[in-house]
Amino acid sequence: MTEQSCRLCKGELREVLDLGRQPISNAFVRAEDAAKVPFFRLAIGLCNSCAMVQQLDEVPPNQMFHAEYPYRASGSALIRKHGADVAERIIQTCPRGHDRFVVEVGSNDGVMLKRLTDAGIRHLGVDPAAVAADVAQTSGVNVWKEFFNASTATRIRDEHGPAHLIYSANTISHISYLDSIFLGVDILLAPDGLFVFEDRYLGDIVNCVYFDQIYDEHIYLFSVRSVQAMAAQFGFELIDAEHLPLHGGSIRYTVARAGTSKPTAAVAEFLVRESAQGLAEEATFVEFSAAVDHIRTDLVSLLRDLRADGRRVVGYGATSRSATVMNYCGIGPELLPMVCDSTPEKQGCLTPGTKIPVCPPESFSNPYPDYALLFAWNHAEEIMAKERLFHESGGRWILYAPKVHLA
Ligand code: TYD
Ligand code: ZN
Protein backbone atom coordinates (compact mmCIF):
# COMPACT_ATOMS: atom_id res chain seq x y z
CA MET A 1 0.00 0.00 0.00
CA THR A 2 1.42 3.38 -0.97
CA GLU A 3 0.54 6.36 1.18
CA GLN A 4 -0.48 9.51 -0.68
CA SER A 5 -1.09 11.56 2.41
CA CYS A 6 0.72 12.06 5.70
CA ARG A 7 -0.09 9.35 8.26
CA LEU A 8 -0.27 12.01 10.96
CA CYS A 9 -1.86 15.20 9.64
CA LYS A 10 -3.23 13.95 6.27
CA GLY A 11 -1.20 16.67 4.49
CA GLU A 12 0.20 16.01 1.02
CA LEU A 13 3.19 13.66 0.83
CA ARG A 14 5.83 14.39 -1.82
CA GLU A 15 8.16 11.56 -2.76
CA VAL A 16 11.74 12.71 -2.19
CA LEU A 17 13.86 9.54 -2.32
CA ASP A 18 13.53 6.10 -3.89
CA LEU A 19 15.86 3.34 -2.65
CA GLY A 20 14.19 0.68 -4.77
CA ARG A 21 13.02 -2.83 -3.95
CA GLN A 22 14.27 -3.92 -0.54
CA PRO A 23 13.89 -7.01 1.62
CA ILE A 24 12.83 -6.95 5.26
CA SER A 25 16.04 -5.71 6.83
CA ASN A 26 16.21 -8.13 9.75
CA ALA A 27 15.18 -11.20 7.72
CA PHE A 28 18.32 -13.22 8.37
CA VAL A 29 17.33 -16.72 7.27
CA ARG A 30 18.91 -20.07 6.44
CA ALA A 31 19.78 -20.70 2.78
CA GLU A 32 16.71 -22.88 2.23
CA ASP A 33 14.39 -20.00 3.23
CA ALA A 34 16.24 -17.19 1.41
CA ALA A 35 13.78 -17.11 -1.50
CA LYS A 36 10.87 -16.53 0.90
CA VAL A 37 12.10 -13.18 2.27
CA PRO A 38 9.44 -10.55 1.48
CA PHE A 39 10.37 -7.42 -0.47
CA PHE A 40 8.79 -3.97 -0.53
CA ARG A 41 9.50 -0.57 -2.09
CA LEU A 42 11.68 1.66 0.08
CA ALA A 43 10.76 5.24 -0.75
CA ILE A 44 10.53 8.35 1.38
CA GLY A 45 8.02 11.17 1.33
CA LEU A 46 7.99 14.61 2.96
CA CYS A 47 4.73 16.04 4.31
CA ASN A 48 4.35 19.56 3.04
CA SER A 49 2.24 20.46 6.04
CA CYS A 50 3.77 19.00 9.26
CA ALA A 51 7.21 18.23 7.70
CA MET A 52 7.15 14.60 8.86
CA VAL A 53 9.49 12.51 6.71
CA GLN A 54 8.03 9.03 6.29
CA GLN A 55 8.03 5.94 4.15
CA LEU A 56 5.51 5.80 1.35
CA ASP A 57 4.99 2.04 1.63
CA GLU A 58 5.09 0.00 4.79
CA VAL A 59 5.85 -3.53 5.84
CA PRO A 60 3.19 -5.02 8.17
CA PRO A 61 4.59 -4.74 11.72
CA ASN A 62 4.24 -8.44 12.50
CA GLN A 63 6.53 -9.28 9.55
CA MET A 64 9.28 -7.19 11.16
CA PHE A 65 8.70 -7.51 14.90
CA HIS A 66 7.88 -11.12 15.68
CA ALA A 67 8.95 -13.55 18.40
CA GLU A 68 12.30 -14.29 16.71
CA TYR A 69 13.25 -10.65 15.99
CA PRO A 70 17.05 -11.02 16.10
CA TYR A 71 18.19 -7.58 17.31
CA ARG A 72 19.69 -7.60 20.82
CA ALA A 73 20.31 -4.26 22.50
CA SER A 74 22.85 -5.82 24.88
CA GLY A 75 25.10 -6.82 21.96
CA SER A 76 26.97 -3.53 22.13
CA ALA A 77 28.95 -2.10 25.05
CA LEU A 78 27.83 1.36 23.93
CA ILE A 79 24.14 0.46 24.17
CA ARG A 80 24.67 -1.30 27.52
CA LYS A 81 26.25 1.87 28.86
CA HIS A 82 23.46 3.98 27.41
CA GLY A 83 20.82 1.75 29.03
CA ALA A 84 22.63 2.03 32.36
CA ASP A 85 22.86 5.84 32.04
CA VAL A 86 19.15 6.18 31.26
CA ALA A 87 18.27 3.93 34.20
CA GLU A 88 20.57 5.92 36.49
CA ARG A 89 18.85 9.16 35.47
CA ILE A 90 15.44 7.64 36.14
CA ILE A 91 16.57 6.34 39.54
CA GLN A 92 18.05 9.74 40.47
CA THR A 93 14.85 11.58 39.56
CA CYS A 94 12.50 9.16 41.34
CA PRO A 95 11.70 10.84 44.65
CA ARG A 96 12.52 8.46 47.48
CA GLY A 97 9.52 6.92 49.16
CA HIS A 98 7.27 7.67 46.17
CA ASP A 99 5.76 4.77 44.33
CA ARG A 100 6.78 5.40 40.73
CA PHE A 101 5.77 3.28 37.77
CA VAL A 102 7.89 3.26 34.60
CA VAL A 103 6.83 1.67 31.32
CA GLU A 104 9.27 1.00 28.50
CA VAL A 105 7.92 0.54 24.99
CA GLY A 106 10.26 -1.78 23.06
CA SER A 107 12.24 -3.10 26.02
CA ASN A 108 14.08 -5.76 23.95
CA ASP A 109 16.38 -7.85 26.19
CA GLY A 110 15.88 -5.56 29.20
CA VAL A 111 19.17 -3.69 28.89
CA MET A 112 17.68 -0.62 30.63
CA LEU A 113 14.89 -2.11 32.78
CA LYS A 114 17.25 -4.59 34.43
CA ARG A 115 18.75 -1.64 36.33
CA LEU A 116 15.33 -0.45 37.46
CA THR A 117 14.54 -3.99 38.61
CA ASP A 118 17.72 -4.00 40.69
CA ALA A 119 16.80 -0.60 42.15
CA GLY A 120 13.33 -1.86 43.12
CA ILE A 121 11.43 0.54 40.82
CA ARG A 122 8.04 -0.62 39.64
CA HIS A 123 8.25 -1.12 35.90
CA LEU A 124 6.89 -2.93 32.87
CA GLY A 125 8.44 -3.56 29.46
CA VAL A 126 6.21 -4.05 26.42
CA ASP A 127 7.76 -5.81 23.44
CA PRO A 128 6.46 -8.36 20.91
CA ALA A 129 10.01 -9.71 20.37
CA ALA A 130 9.30 -12.68 22.65
CA VAL A 131 12.72 -14.34 22.54
CA ALA A 132 14.42 -11.06 23.48
CA ALA A 133 11.77 -10.55 26.19
CA ASP A 134 12.59 -14.03 27.58
CA VAL A 135 16.15 -12.80 28.14
CA ALA A 136 14.81 -9.78 30.03
CA GLN A 137 12.49 -11.94 32.12
CA THR A 138 15.34 -14.25 33.07
CA SER A 139 17.00 -11.29 34.77
CA GLY A 140 13.84 -10.42 36.69
CA VAL A 141 12.41 -7.75 34.38
CA ASN A 142 8.60 -7.65 33.98
CA VAL A 143 7.59 -7.77 30.32
CA TRP A 144 4.40 -8.12 28.34
CA LYS A 145 5.18 -9.74 24.99
CA GLU A 146 2.82 -7.50 23.04
CA PHE A 147 2.65 -4.46 20.80
CA PHE A 148 2.03 -1.22 22.69
CA ASN A 149 -1.18 0.53 21.58
CA ALA A 150 -4.36 2.02 23.07
CA SER A 151 -5.73 -1.37 24.06
CA THR A 152 -2.54 -2.60 25.76
CA ALA A 153 -2.25 0.77 27.52
CA THR A 154 -5.76 0.37 28.93
CA ARG A 155 -4.96 -3.07 30.30
CA ILE A 156 -1.66 -1.88 31.78
CA ARG A 157 -3.42 0.99 33.54
CA ASP A 158 -6.15 -1.32 34.85
CA GLU A 159 -3.56 -3.68 36.27
CA HIS A 160 -0.78 -1.35 37.42
CA GLY A 161 -2.25 2.15 37.62
CA PRO A 162 -0.92 5.22 35.78
CA ALA A 163 2.69 5.48 34.59
CA HIS A 164 4.84 8.38 35.72
CA LEU A 165 7.24 7.83 32.86
CA ILE A 166 6.82 6.13 29.51
CA TYR A 167 10.23 5.66 27.95
CA SER A 168 11.18 4.29 24.58
CA ALA A 169 14.44 4.01 22.64
CA ASN A 170 14.50 3.43 18.88
CA THR A 171 10.95 2.20 18.77
CA ILE A 172 8.46 5.04 18.33
CA SER A 173 9.74 5.92 14.83
CA HIS A 174 9.26 2.24 13.92
CA ILE A 175 5.50 2.38 14.47
CA SER A 176 3.22 3.62 11.69
CA TYR A 177 0.04 3.91 13.81
CA LEU A 178 1.23 6.75 16.05
CA ASP A 179 -2.35 7.83 16.70
CA SER A 180 -2.88 4.63 18.70
CA ILE A 181 0.47 5.12 20.46
CA PHE A 182 -0.46 8.63 21.60
CA LEU A 183 -3.92 7.48 22.57
CA GLY A 184 -2.22 4.77 24.65
CA VAL A 185 0.11 7.33 26.20
CA ASP A 186 -2.91 9.51 27.00
CA ILE A 187 -4.66 6.59 28.70
CA LEU A 188 -1.64 5.37 30.64
CA LEU A 189 0.30 8.49 31.60
CA ALA A 190 -0.27 10.16 34.98
CA PRO A 191 -1.44 13.82 34.68
CA ASP A 192 2.09 15.13 35.33
CA GLY A 193 3.84 12.17 33.70
CA LEU A 194 6.39 12.37 30.90
CA PHE A 195 6.70 10.51 27.63
CA VAL A 196 10.39 10.36 26.72
CA PHE A 197 11.57 8.76 23.51
CA GLU A 198 14.79 8.62 21.57
CA ASP A 199 15.09 8.15 17.86
CA ARG A 200 17.61 8.70 15.09
CA TYR A 201 17.67 12.31 13.97
CA LEU A 202 16.79 13.47 10.47
CA GLY A 203 19.21 16.40 10.82
CA ASP A 204 22.18 14.04 11.20
CA ILE A 205 20.92 11.68 8.50
CA VAL A 206 20.77 14.53 5.99
CA ASN A 207 23.96 16.19 7.16
CA CYS A 208 26.09 13.03 7.04
CA VAL A 209 24.27 11.25 4.16
CA TYR A 210 23.38 8.33 6.44
CA PHE A 211 21.03 6.91 3.83
CA ASP A 212 21.35 3.48 5.44
CA GLN A 213 19.34 4.79 8.40
CA ILE A 214 16.44 4.39 6.00
CA TYR A 215 15.07 0.85 6.09
CA ASP A 216 11.73 -0.87 6.66
CA GLU A 217 11.68 -0.42 10.45
CA HIS A 218 12.26 3.33 10.32
CA ILE A 219 8.82 4.33 9.12
CA TYR A 220 9.44 7.91 10.27
CA LEU A 221 12.60 10.03 10.31
CA PHE A 222 11.85 12.46 13.11
CA SER A 223 12.91 16.08 13.38
CA VAL A 224 12.16 18.45 16.25
CA ARG A 225 9.68 20.29 14.03
CA SER A 226 7.76 17.18 13.01
CA VAL A 227 7.73 15.74 16.55
CA GLN A 228 6.49 19.06 17.91
CA ALA A 229 3.64 19.02 15.37
CA MET A 230 2.86 15.38 16.14
CA ALA A 231 2.72 15.93 19.90
CA ALA A 232 0.47 18.95 19.46
CA GLN A 233 -1.89 17.01 17.25
CA PHE A 234 -2.54 14.51 20.04
CA GLY A 235 -2.97 17.01 22.90
CA PHE A 236 0.65 16.88 24.06
CA GLU A 237 3.57 19.28 23.90
CA LEU A 238 7.24 18.81 23.10
CA ILE A 239 8.96 20.36 26.13
CA ASP A 240 12.57 19.33 25.56
CA ALA A 241 14.92 17.99 22.90
CA GLU A 242 18.39 16.72 23.67
CA HIS A 243 20.89 15.61 21.06
CA LEU A 244 22.60 12.26 21.69
CA PRO A 245 25.62 10.90 19.81
CA LEU A 246 24.04 7.44 19.64
CA HIS A 247 23.39 5.66 16.32
CA GLY A 248 25.08 8.41 14.35
CA GLY A 249 22.96 11.08 16.04
CA SER A 250 19.67 10.77 17.87
CA ILE A 251 17.37 13.07 19.77
CA ARG A 252 15.76 12.41 23.12
CA TYR A 253 12.32 14.03 22.95
CA THR A 254 10.45 14.84 26.16
CA VAL A 255 6.72 15.19 25.74
CA ALA A 256 4.18 16.27 28.40
CA ARG A 257 0.46 16.95 28.39
CA ALA A 258 -0.14 20.30 26.66
CA GLY A 259 0.19 23.30 28.96
CA THR A 260 1.66 21.42 31.92
CA SER A 261 5.34 22.41 31.46
CA LYS A 262 7.22 25.24 29.83
CA PRO A 263 9.32 24.10 26.84
CA THR A 264 13.08 24.55 27.24
CA ALA A 265 15.08 26.93 25.06
CA ALA A 266 16.58 23.88 23.32
CA VAL A 267 13.34 23.27 21.43
CA ALA A 268 13.31 26.74 19.87
CA GLU A 269 17.04 26.51 19.10
CA PHE A 270 16.56 23.23 17.23
CA LEU A 271 13.71 24.74 15.21
CA VAL A 272 15.93 27.60 14.07
CA ARG A 273 18.74 25.23 13.07
CA GLU A 274 16.37 22.89 11.24
CA SER A 275 14.94 25.74 9.28
CA ALA A 276 18.46 26.88 8.27
CA GLN A 277 19.28 23.28 7.27
CA GLY A 278 16.14 23.11 5.11
CA LEU A 279 14.81 19.93 6.73
CA ALA A 280 11.29 20.70 5.54
CA GLU A 281 12.28 21.53 1.96
CA GLU A 282 12.21 19.25 -1.05
CA ALA A 283 15.39 20.82 -2.45
CA THR A 284 17.35 19.45 0.52
CA PHE A 285 16.30 15.93 -0.39
CA VAL A 286 17.14 16.40 -4.08
CA GLU A 287 20.70 17.12 -2.94
CA PHE A 288 20.58 14.21 -0.51
CA SER A 289 19.47 11.82 -3.29
CA ALA A 290 22.32 12.95 -5.50
CA ALA A 291 24.83 12.33 -2.69
CA VAL A 292 23.38 8.84 -2.10
CA ASP A 293 23.70 8.04 -5.79
CA HIS A 294 27.31 9.18 -5.68
CA ILE A 295 28.06 6.84 -2.78
CA ARG A 296 26.62 3.90 -4.72
CA THR A 297 28.79 4.62 -7.79
CA ASP A 298 31.96 5.05 -5.73
CA LEU A 299 31.41 2.08 -3.44
CA VAL A 300 30.63 -0.36 -6.24
CA SER A 301 33.59 0.77 -8.30
CA LEU A 302 35.91 0.49 -5.29
CA LEU A 303 34.73 -3.05 -4.56
CA ARG A 304 35.08 -4.05 -8.23
CA ASP A 305 38.59 -2.60 -8.43
CA LEU A 306 39.64 -4.42 -5.27
CA ARG A 307 38.25 -7.69 -6.59
CA ALA A 308 40.08 -7.15 -9.90
CA ASP A 309 43.29 -6.61 -7.88
CA GLY A 310 42.73 -9.91 -6.07
CA ARG A 311 42.08 -8.21 -2.71
CA ARG A 312 39.83 -9.89 -0.15
CA VAL A 313 37.05 -7.71 1.25
CA VAL A 314 34.52 -8.71 3.90
CA GLY A 315 31.67 -6.89 5.59
CA TYR A 316 31.69 -6.10 9.33
CA GLY A 317 28.35 -5.94 11.19
CA ALA A 318 25.24 -7.47 9.62
CA THR A 319 23.24 -4.44 10.67
CA SER A 320 19.70 -3.73 9.54
CA ARG A 321 21.20 -0.71 7.81
CA SER A 322 23.48 -2.91 5.72
CA ALA A 323 20.43 -4.33 3.93
CA THR A 324 19.72 -0.90 2.44
CA VAL A 325 23.34 -0.42 1.35
CA MET A 326 23.78 -3.87 -0.16
CA ASN A 327 20.43 -4.02 -1.90
CA TYR A 328 20.52 -0.46 -3.18
CA CYS A 329 24.10 -0.84 -4.47
CA GLY A 330 23.67 -4.43 -5.70
CA ILE A 331 26.46 -5.83 -3.53
CA GLY A 332 26.26 -9.63 -3.38
CA PRO A 333 28.63 -12.49 -2.45
CA GLU A 334 30.73 -11.96 -5.60
CA LEU A 335 31.89 -8.58 -4.24
CA LEU A 336 31.61 -9.39 -0.54
CA PRO A 337 31.93 -13.11 0.26
CA MET A 338 30.97 -12.77 3.94
CA VAL A 339 29.76 -10.43 6.64
CA CYS A 340 30.82 -11.10 10.22
CA ASP A 341 28.58 -10.34 13.14
CA SER A 342 28.55 -11.08 16.85
CA THR A 343 24.80 -11.87 17.04
CA PRO A 344 24.40 -15.66 17.36
CA GLU A 345 20.89 -15.46 15.82
CA LYS A 346 22.33 -13.99 12.60
CA GLN A 347 25.31 -16.33 12.25
CA GLY A 348 24.87 -19.20 9.80
CA CYS A 349 22.16 -17.22 8.01
CA LEU A 350 22.25 -15.19 4.80
CA THR A 351 21.91 -11.42 4.55
CA PRO A 352 18.40 -10.48 3.36
CA GLY A 353 18.09 -10.07 -0.38
CA THR A 354 21.80 -10.25 -1.15
CA LYS A 355 22.38 -13.74 0.31
CA ILE A 356 25.83 -13.17 1.78
CA PRO A 357 26.75 -15.66 4.55
CA VAL A 358 26.91 -14.18 8.06
CA CYS A 359 29.84 -15.58 10.06
CA PRO A 360 30.94 -15.17 13.67
CA PRO A 361 33.55 -12.46 14.38
CA GLU A 362 36.22 -15.16 14.86
CA SER A 363 36.14 -15.71 11.07
CA PHE A 364 37.35 -12.13 10.65
CA SER A 365 40.86 -12.83 11.88
CA ASN A 366 41.17 -16.22 10.32
CA PRO A 367 42.90 -14.89 8.23
CA TYR A 368 42.33 -11.12 8.20
CA PRO A 369 40.96 -9.76 4.91
CA ASP A 370 42.69 -6.90 3.09
CA TYR A 371 39.68 -4.59 3.52
CA ALA A 372 36.61 -4.56 5.72
CA LEU A 373 33.44 -2.71 4.81
CA LEU A 374 32.20 -1.33 8.13
CA PHE A 375 28.41 -1.55 8.14
CA ALA A 376 28.28 -1.16 11.93
CA TRP A 377 29.87 2.30 11.64
CA ASN A 378 27.91 3.55 14.66
CA HIS A 379 30.03 1.16 16.73
CA ALA A 380 33.26 2.13 14.91
CA GLU A 381 35.22 3.03 18.02
CA GLU A 382 34.35 -0.18 19.83
CA ILE A 383 34.94 -2.38 16.78
CA MET A 384 38.16 -0.71 15.64
CA ALA A 385 39.58 -1.03 19.15
CA LYS A 386 38.60 -4.70 19.29
CA GLU A 387 40.05 -5.37 15.81
CA ARG A 388 43.16 -3.25 16.30
CA LEU A 389 45.40 -6.03 14.97
CA PHE A 390 43.56 -5.98 11.63
CA HIS A 391 44.60 -2.38 11.04
CA GLU A 392 48.06 -2.91 12.48
CA SER A 393 48.67 -5.74 10.07
CA GLY A 394 47.86 -3.53 7.10
CA GLY A 395 44.08 -4.00 6.84
CA ARG A 396 41.91 -1.00 5.95
CA TRP A 397 38.36 -0.11 6.89
CA ILE A 398 36.00 1.04 4.15
CA LEU A 399 33.42 3.62 5.21
CA TYR A 400 30.77 5.07 2.92
CA ALA A 401 29.20 8.11 4.57
CA PRO A 402 29.17 10.98 3.90
CA LYS A 403 31.51 9.79 1.11
CA VAL A 404 33.32 6.54 0.37
CA HIS A 405 36.67 6.63 2.19
CA LEU A 406 39.29 4.41 3.82
CA ALA A 407 40.39 4.44 7.45
P1 TYD B 1 23.11 -1.97 15.41
O1 TYD B 1 23.87 -0.79 15.00
O2 TYD B 1 22.94 -2.15 16.85
O3 TYD B 1 21.71 -1.95 14.81
P2 TYD B 1 20.94 -2.01 13.45
O4 TYD B 1 20.83 -3.47 13.16
O5 TYD B 1 19.68 -1.42 13.90
O6 TYD B 1 21.56 -1.29 12.31
O7 TYD B 1 23.76 -3.28 14.82
C1 TYD B 1 25.03 -3.58 15.14
C2 TYD B 1 25.35 -4.93 14.53
O8 TYD B 1 26.75 -5.09 14.55
C3 TYD B 1 24.74 -6.06 15.32
O9 TYD B 1 24.22 -7.03 14.43
C4 TYD B 1 25.90 -6.63 16.11
C5 TYD B 1 27.10 -6.24 15.27
N1 TYD B 1 28.30 -5.98 16.07
C6 TYD B 1 29.39 -6.80 15.91
O10 TYD B 1 29.36 -7.75 15.11
N2 TYD B 1 30.51 -6.56 16.69
C7 TYD B 1 30.56 -5.53 17.56
O11 TYD B 1 31.59 -5.35 18.23
C8 TYD B 1 29.42 -4.68 17.70
C9 TYD B 1 29.43 -3.53 18.65
C10 TYD B 1 28.30 -4.94 16.93
ZN1 ZN C 1 1.87 15.74 8.00
Side-chain angles (χ1 to χ4, degrees), residues 162-201:
H164 303 93
L165 171 69
I166 301 177
Y167 171 78
S168 188
N170 301 305
T171 302
I172 300 304
S173 68
H174 297 35
I175 303 172
S176 74
Y177 44 90
L178 289 176
D179 47 351
S180 180
I181 295 295
F182 271 89
L183 191 54
V185 171
D186 195 18
I187 291 164
L188 182 57
L189 203 63
D192 60 346
L194 295 177
F195 177 29
V196 177
F197 56 95
E198 300 167 9
D199 275 286
R200 285 150 223 241
Y201 181 42

Side-chain angles (χ1 to χ4, degrees), residues 6-13 47-52 54:
C6 173
R7 290 176 178 81
L8 291 159
C9 78
K10 307 293 169 225
E12 188 194 345
L13 270 189
C47 173
N48 68 3
S49 173
C50 74
M52 184 62 84
Q54 56 200 281

Side-chain angles (χ1 to χ4, degrees), residues 42 44 53-55 64-65 170 173-175 199-200 205 212-221 320-321:
L42 184 60
I44 289 291
V53 173
Q54 56 200 281
Q55 287 188 29
M64 297 186 280
F65 311 114
N170 301 305
S173 68
H174 297 35
I175 303 172
D199 275 286
R200 285 150 223 241
I205 293 173
D212 55 347
Q213 297 282 25
I214 303 167
Y215 54 87
D216 53 357
E217 294 174 12
H218 294 170
I219 301 263
Y220 299 98
L221 303 178
S320 329
R321 280 167 283 121

